[in-house]
Amino acid sequence: MAPARAPGSPSGALCRQLLLTLAILTFACDACKTVTLHVPFKLDAEKLIGRVNLKECFKSATLIHSSDPDFQILEDGSVYTTHAILSSSEKRSFTILLSNTETQEEKEIPVLLEHQTEKRHSQEKVLRRAKRRWAPIPCSVPENSLGPFPLFLQQIQSDTAQNYTIYYSISGPGVDKEPRNLFYVERDTGNLFCTRAIDRETYPSFELVAFATTPDGYTPEYPLTLVIRIEDENDNYPIFTETNYVFKVFENSKIGTTVGQVCATDKDEPDTLHTRLRYSIIEQFPASPTLFSMHPTTGVITTSSSQLDRELIDKYQLKIKVQDMDGQYFGLQTTAACIINIEDVNDNLPAFTSSSYVASVEENRIDVEILRVAVQDKDLINTANWRANYTILKGNEDGNFKIVTDSETNEGVLCVVKPLNYEEKQQVTLQIGVVNEAPYTGSSRSTMNTATITVNVLNQDEGPECDPRVQTVRIKENVSVGTKNIGYKAYDPETRSSSGIRYMKSNDPEGWVDVDENSGVITILKRLDREARSGVYNISIIASDKDGRTCNGVLGIILEDVNDNGPVIPQRTVIICKPVMSSAEIVASDPDEPIHGPPFDFSLEGASDSEVLRMWRLTKVNDISARLSYVNDLQFGKYTVPVRVTDRLGLSLVTPLDVILCDCVTPNDCTIRSGLSTGIGEVILGKWAILAILLGIALLFCVLFTLVCGATTGAAKKPKVFPDDLTQQNLIVSNTEAPGDDKVYSTNGFTTHAVGGSAQGICGTLGSRVKTGGQETIEMVKGGHQTMESCQETGHHHTLERYKEGGQHTLDSCRGGPIAADNCKYTYSEWCSYTQPRLGEKVRQCDQDNTHMQAQDYVLTYNYEGRGSAAGSVGCCSERQEEDGLEFLDHLGPKFRTLAETCMKR
């Protein structure tokens, strides 16, 4: 046994120093909970062997370091091998060092790697384990684990195993549901095993239910839910959404212009390094210069240079890459192709192939092409940046030329649209310019290229030229016939002479002039009247040379006015409404020009002691009008008043006025009433109006003659016996207290009249409803029984006949009398239905009453299909019997009472 050292010895001091250092280190670097990872004996390079929860140990760690260089620790706690490892021992350990550079705080996590060589289901070993509660235990399985299988996961145990024999079992997906037989548990020990590798992308996790039971079926524990999470392995490559991307960008774009965006997806676990993607451009073709860049996290491609020129390179190809694990060298990567097309802008001006051109054209030619000019443009063909627009800048002030673009060749086509004259100009110089349809966006200061065109005009042997085409001469109207005057002149454009040119007129509306064939001088053939042809009198002229070439012109004759028309008063009739008006205004006019017209002088024509001057007076109102008034209290009637009007040069004319003094308020009232003309319009009876008046008079005489005939015929009627079945027919009821003509309307739609001592009958045409083969006779009686017979004495007769073919009956008139009808009628069936059951008693009663008083009876007799005659009478009695008659009508019905009352009022 070694001797004890004194406390103050050097060795004791050293020990105290070492203990203090260890305490400081222990305080500065705390150790977190040990993590155990189950791994196989052989590990491949860059292989995930597990994940450690770094945040649970040290949340603010900025540096992560492994004490063993064979392993690498990522930010999310994933543990990867840096190279292939073959372990010979059963256990291996290393430390994960966590530190914060700001606070200088450090922590470490011990990691223990275990290799399982045999199943642990020894009861003795289980009994040595600490007690576990029957509660969920976190559990995970590495994705695509290499085993060895079955792979031990964990042990589930119940505290009741100390008192009972417990059997353990599980169920759920992966056990007795798809995927079946992936997990199992040892019945006696509760050890949970996995039988094969699992793909996390297919099954991210499993939820199992564990049971603890005794051999006799007793369940001392509730079913326990076990969640087994599949730890992700970076086994899925990121994939671009498209194999080939195609984008476009305009040339000369600014730096930073967005070209397009690419996107990729990764099936591994989200929000981990396995799905943290990085984009980059691997290669550009053509390679130089570098024109594009890509954002590493968004995949947006932008321009990194403004030197994009479509005319040099119109397309670029990029090879792009996406890599997971945040772009670290061991991350999985995928590539794709990207094509970028450079779009054209108008950064090149069209340029003429030559700066000057020469062309020629004959004079007097129009609508001919004389020259084509071409341009060069580097922009994209058949676009607005390439198509040219030509314009004439100088030299076309007279509008002889135009230049257009040929849409197929893009050439400028110069045309003559207005004839050129060699005698006036032998050469024309034009300056033309060219631009594109699209606005220019290039850097050049000039925005238009120009060129010069020299056009030579070729001479032609031309015919006569009518220049100016319209020529005018002035001639006074009323000039003597035969007077000569200068006419139309045409000339030869080559010699500027009129010799050898012949003239003829092609149109002379009034035939006033003649044109000399050789000189074009005109000769007056008729009296010229300016007032007949207002304005310029035009004559069409044709001029021709010896070769028959012609030109057309117009000779306009301006007729100069002379004072050859006196002023007149257009309104010849004047109406003065007496006593409302005492005068009327008269207005004069002169067809000559104003210099030969007003002011006018008005005067009454007649001797100083004439009757006109004593009855009328004229008072001038203005230059063209005067007021005519009567002096004495003249009688109503028509007067003739001659008025002389004189123009400013003394030429006068007398106009006789018809002055009407009328008893009216306005002149129109007098015109309508008297049918006189007022100068505005006349009321005239035409031949048709006179014929209508004569026809009306003839019709009136016919009606009067017919009335006289009816009265005579009624007086000559004889009594006639009526049949007994009158009650089966229709009766027309009327009540009249005094003699006269009463209209009685039958229900069949015709009109009859009662005939009295002084009454007159009217012959009418009417129709009735009668069955085929039957006949009806309408008879009217007053004070007895009479029948309506033929009016042979007076030439009138009434008969009700049937048309044999149509079964229709008409009551014809020998002279065609009028038809009388109103609303007092009903149909035959309605009348019959009311009267048939009631007529017998009332007819007899009224007949008896009629023997003691005056009455007017109206009897309707029918002879209908051999049923025999029926006659009866209804007394339409005097005042004493009126009440009984109305009672009888009430018996027939309310409709017929109303009918009778209406008829009686009529």
Side-chain angles (χ1 to χ4, degrees):
M1 183 175 181
R5 296 183 181 273
S9 64
S11 299
L14 181 59
C15 291
R16 288 194 298 272
Q17 186 176 1
L18 291 174
L19 290 174
L20 180 60
T21 301
L22 181 61
I24 293 173
L25 290 175
T26 303
F27 177 77
C29 184
D30 294 335
C32 295
K33 181 179 178 180
T34 301
V35 177
T36 301
L37 301 178
H38 299 276
V39 297
F41 285 96
K42 183 179 180 180
L43 297 174
D44 296 330
E46 299 181 1
K47 177 69 174 180
L48 174 68
I49 63 175
R51 184 176 286 112
V52 180
N53 191 348
L54 303 180
K55 300 296 182 181
E56 183 180 359
C57 179
F58 193 10
K59 293 183 178 180
S60 60
T62 57
L63 293 179
I64 303 173
H65 183 66
S66 173
S67 62
D68 191 337
D70 292 340
F71 302 96
Q72 181 182 12
I73 314 301
L74 302 183
E75 293 179 0
D76 63 344
S78 299
V79 181
Y80 283 86
T81 58
T82 58
H83 54 271
I85 300 174
L86 181 61
S87 179
S88 59
S89 61
E90 183 177 352
K91 293 184 179 181
R92 183 173 178 173
S93 63
F94 64 91
T95 302
I96 300 175
L97 301 177
L98 306 175
S99 61
N100 189 316
T101 57
E102 295 181 359
T103 62
Q104 300 298 322
E105 184 178 358
E106 295 182 354
K107 289 188 179 182
E108 60 182 23
I109 302 175
V111 178
L112 177 62
L113 303 180
E114 291 186 354
H115 307 284
Q116 186 172 355
T117 58
E118 59 182 5
K119 295 183 180 180
R120 299 171 180 171
H121 48 82
S122 171
Q123 183 65 28
E124 180 180 359
K125 196 167 189 178
V126 172
L127 294 177
R128 288 199 300 267
R129 292 173 62 88
K131 289 183 179 180
R132 292 190 180 183
R133 298 178 57 191
W134 183 253
I137 303 173
C139 181
S140 62
V141 179
E143 179 186 12
N144 301 325
S145 175
L146 299 178
F149 296 104
L151 178 64
F152 173 77
L153 299 181
Q154 67 173 355
Q155 183 185 36
I156 57 176
Q157 190 176 21
S158 173
D159 294 341
T160 60
Q162 298 178 1
N163 302 323
Y164 303 97
T165 299
I166 298 298
Y167 293 157
Y168 299 96
S169 62
I170 57 176
S171 67
V175 181
D176 51 1
K177 298 179 181 178
E178 292 295 334
R180 297 177 182 274
N181 302 321
L182 182 60
F183 303 100
Y184 74 90
V185 66
E186 291 182 342
R187 188 187 68 170
D188 297 328
T189 63
N191 291 335
L192 182 62
F193 293 91
C194 177
T195 62
R196 59 183 181 271
I198 306 173
D199 185 9
R200 189 206 67 83
E201 286 71 40
T202 306
Y203 301 104
S205 64
F206 294 90
E207 186 174 305
L208 308 180
V209 179
F211 303 93
T213 60
T214 60
D216 57 359
Y218 173 66
T219 304
E221 300 283 5
Y222 290 107
L224 178 65
T225 301
L226 299 176
V227 177
I228 301 176
R229 188 176 64 86
I230 308 303
E231 294 183 357
D232 184 45
E233 181 185 18
N234 190 23
D235 59 342
N236 289 280
Y237 285 82
I239 300 174
F240 281 104
T241 56
E242 296 181 23
T243 305
N244 294 287
Y245 290 92
V246 179
F247 301 117
K248 59 184 178 180
V249 64
F250 285 104
E251 61 177 330
N252 302 328
S253 294
K254 297 180 180 179
I255 297 176
T257 301
T258 299
V259 178
Q261 182 178 16
V262 299
C263 184
T265 59
D266 196 321
K267 294 181 180 180
D268 289 324
E269 186 175 358
D271 300 325
T272 65
L273 284 175
H274 299 165
T275 55
R276 188 175 297 176
L277 308 180
R278 291 280 178 172
Y279 301 91
S280 60
I281 298 175
I282 300 177
E283 184 180 0
Q284 173 187 305
F285 180 80
S288 179
T290 301
L291 301 175
F292 306 97
S293 62
M294 177 178 282
H295 194 279
T297 58
T298 62
V300 175
I301 302 174
T302 57
T303 57
S304 58
S305 173
S306 61
Q307 301 303 315
L308 291 173
D309 189 350
R310 190 205 64 83
E311 287 71 38
L312 296 178
I313 301 175
D314 62 352
K315 182 172 66 175
Y316 290 87
Q317 295 181 0
L318 304 179
K319 185 178 181 181
I320 57 177
K321 179 187 74 172
V322 60
Q323 189 172 18
D324 59 12
M325 301 302 294
D326 204 18
Q328 299 190 55
Y329 70 93
F330 52 82
L332 303 179
Q333 64 181 16
T334 304
T335 61
C338 179
I339 298 175
I340 301 176
N341 295 315
I342 309 303
E343 295 289 300
D344 184 47
V345 297
N346 189 23
D347 58 343
N348 294 281
L349 287 173
F352 288 103
T353 57
S354 176
S355 60
S356 62
Y357 301 88
V358 177
S360 61
V361 62
E362 292 181 345
E363 63 175 335
N364 301 322
R365 296 288 302 277
I366 60 172
D367 296 330
V368 292
E369 175 185 323
I370 62 174
L371 181 66
R372 282 179 173 258
V373 294
V375 294
Q376 293 179 343
D377 197 323
K378 297 180 181 179
D379 291 319
L380 188 61
I381 296 176
N382 293 326
T383 64
N385 302 327
W386 175 81
R387 287 189 288 268
N389 280 340
Y390 299 88
T391 183
I392 301 176
L393 302 177
K394 295 180 180 179
N396 193 33
E397 288 76 11
D398 296 332
N400 298 98
F401 304 92
K402 76 172 181 179
I403 187 167
V404 296
T405 304
D406 188 328
S407 58
E408 295 183 358
T409 63
N410 208 34
E411 294 176 322
V413 181
L414 183 65
C415 302
V416 177
V417 295
K418 183 179 178 181
L420 296 166
N421 192 338
Y422 175 82
E423 287 72 27
E424 294 180 356
K425 189 177 292 186
Q426 291 79 37
Q427 190 179 77
V428 180
T429 302
L430 303 176
Q431 184 183 28
I432 61 174
V434 62
V435 295
N436 292 121
E437 290 183 0
Y440 177 68
T441 60
S443 57
S444 176
R445 293 184 179 180
S446 175
T447 59
M448 177 183 291
N449 285 322
T450 61
T452 302
I453 301 176
T454 301
V455 181
N456 296 316
V457 183
L458 304 180
N459 187 26
Q460 273 188 337
D461 186 11
E462 302 170 279
E465 186 171 301
C466 296
D467 187 26
R469 181 177 177 273
V470 178
Q471 302 175 19
T472 60
V473 295
R474 289 183 172 271
I475 304 176
K476 291 183 177 294
E477 65 171 334
N478 297 334
V479 69
S480 301
V481 175
T483 303
K484 296 183 180 295
N485 203 322
I486 59 174
Y488 195 86
K489 288 293 181 181
Y491 62 92
D492 186 345
E494 309 293 337
T495 62
R496 309 303 296 178
S497 171
S498 299
S499 62
I501 298 177
R502 295 178 176 275
Y503 304 90
M504 63 176 294
K505 65 176 182 178
S506 61
N507 184 28
D508 182 4
E510 300 293 340
W512 283 351
V513 299
D514 184 30
V515 179
D516 186 82
E517 181 180 5
N518 296 319
S519 63
V521 174
I522 60 174
T523 303
I524 306 302
L525 299 179
K526 296 180 181 180
R527 176 180 175 274
L528 305 181
D529 187 0
R530 187 194 67 85
E531 288 73 30
R533 302 287 295 189
S534 60
V536 179
Y537 181 70
N538 293 323
I539 301 172
S540 298
I541 303 295
I542 299 177
S544 60
D545 61 6
K546 61 182 180 179
D547 296 326
R549 291 171 294 190
T550 63
C551 67
N552 295 319
V554 176
L555 178 62
I557 299 177
I558 301 175
L559 296 176
E560 296 181 350
D561 184 46
V562 295
N563 192 20
D564 58 345
N565 294 281
V568 296
I569 301 174
Q571 184 177 347
R572 299 298 181 92
T573 301
V574 178
I575 299 176
I576 300 177
C577 289
K578 181 182 178 183
V580 178
M581 302 165 54
S582 60
S583 62
E585 185 175 342
I586 56 176
V587 179
S589 63
D590 193 331
D592 290 328
E593 290 187 356
I595 60 173
H596 300 145
F600 299 136
D601 289 331
F602 297 86
S603 61
L604 295 174
E605 183 68 14
S608 59
D609 58 347
S610 66
E611 185 179 357
V612 173
L613 297 179
R614 292 195 302 269
M615 297 171 58
W616 304 97
R617 178 182 300 168
L618 272 176
T619 304
K620 188 173 181 179
V621 176
N622 50 39
D623 290 345
I624 62 173
S625 64
R627 183 167 295 281
L628 177 65
S629 58
Y630 56 86
V631 177
N632 299 318
D633 188 10
L634 301 180
Q635 299 295 325
F636 294 110
K638 181 177 179 181
Y639 300 87
T640 299
V641 180
V643 177
R644 179 181 294 277
V645 184
T646 307
D647 61 20
R648 65 167 61 191
L649 298 181
L651 184 61
S652 64
L653 193 65
V654 177
T655 303
L657 299 181
D658 294 330
V659 182
I660 301 172
L661 292 182
C662 184
D663 184 8
C664 59
V665 177
T666 63
N668 288 335
D669 297 339
C670 185
T671 302
I672 296 172
R673 193 164 58 242
S674 61
L676 297 175
S677 172
T678 62
I680 301 175
E682 295 182 354
V683 179
I684 302 174
L685 291 177
K687 58 182 180 179
W688 295 109
I690 297 173
L691 180 59
I693 294 174
L694 295 176
L695 290 176
I697 295 172
L699 181 61
L700 179 61
F701 278 108
C702 182
V703 172
L704 294 176
F705 189 71
T706 303
L707 293 176
V708 174
C709 173
T712 306
T713 303
K717 294 298 178 179
K718 297 179 181 180
K720 187 173 182 179
V721 180
F722 292 94
D724 295 333
D725 57 348
L726 179 62
T727 57
Q728 302 300 322
Q729 305 299 331
N730 291 350
L731 297 180
I732 305 302
V733 183
S734 177
N735 185 12
T736 306
E737 297 177 0
D741 291 345
D742 291 337
K743 294 181 181 180
V744 182
Y745 298 88
S746 77
T747 58
N748 295 327
F750 56 83
T751 306
T752 62
H753 286 257
V755 183
S758 61
Q760 296 178 348
I762 299 178
C763 297
T765 301
L766 56 154
S768 61
R769 295 176 50 194
V770 183
K771 295 184 178 179
T772 304
Q775 183 176 5
E776 294 181 348
T777 302
I778 310 301
E779 298 181 351
M780 299 181 294
V781 183
K782 176 174 175 58
H785 300 287
Q786 296 181 2
T787 60
M788 188 179 296
E789 297 177 348
S790 63
C791 304
Q792 296 179 356
E793 297 82 4
T794 59
H796 292 73
H797 67 276
H798 296 72
T799 60
L800 185 61
E801 296 180 349
R802 177 178 64 88
Y803 286 118
K804 295 180 180 181
E805 295 177 0
Q808 186 178 10
H809 297 72
T810 61
L811 183 60
D812 298 326
S813 171
C814 57
R815 298 298 182 185
I819 300 174
D822 61 13
N823 295 328
C824 298
K825 54 185 176 180
Y826 290 87
T827 63
Y828 172 87
S829 58
E830 289 178 331
W831 179 268
C832 188
S833 62
Y834 277 92
T835 58
Q836 283 178 358
R838 300 176 176 89
L839 284 177
E841 180 180 354
K842 291 297 180 180
V843 169
R844 297 189 194 98
Q845 180 180 353
C846 201
D847 285 340
Q848 295 173 3
D849 293 336
N850 285 338
T851 58
H852 302 288
M853 61 195 68
Q854 294 181 355
Q856 297 174 5
D857 300 336
Y858 297 83
V859 181
L860 179 61
T861 304
Y862 292 88
N863 184 359
Y864 185 75
E865 291 185 344
R867 291 171 55 187
S869 299
S873 63
V874 178
C876 297
C877 308
S878 61
E879 294 180 358
R880 194 165 61 86
Q881 287 296 112
E882 182 177 358
E883 184 175 357
D884 294 337
L886 294 176
E887 180 181 358
F888 166 71
L889 293 175
D890 287 336
H891 185 66
L892 292 179
K895 292 198 294 183
F896 294 101
R897 175 185 175 96
T898 304
L899 170 66
E901 290 177 344
T902 305
C903 291
M904 287 188 290
K905 291 178 181 180
R906 294 179 179 273

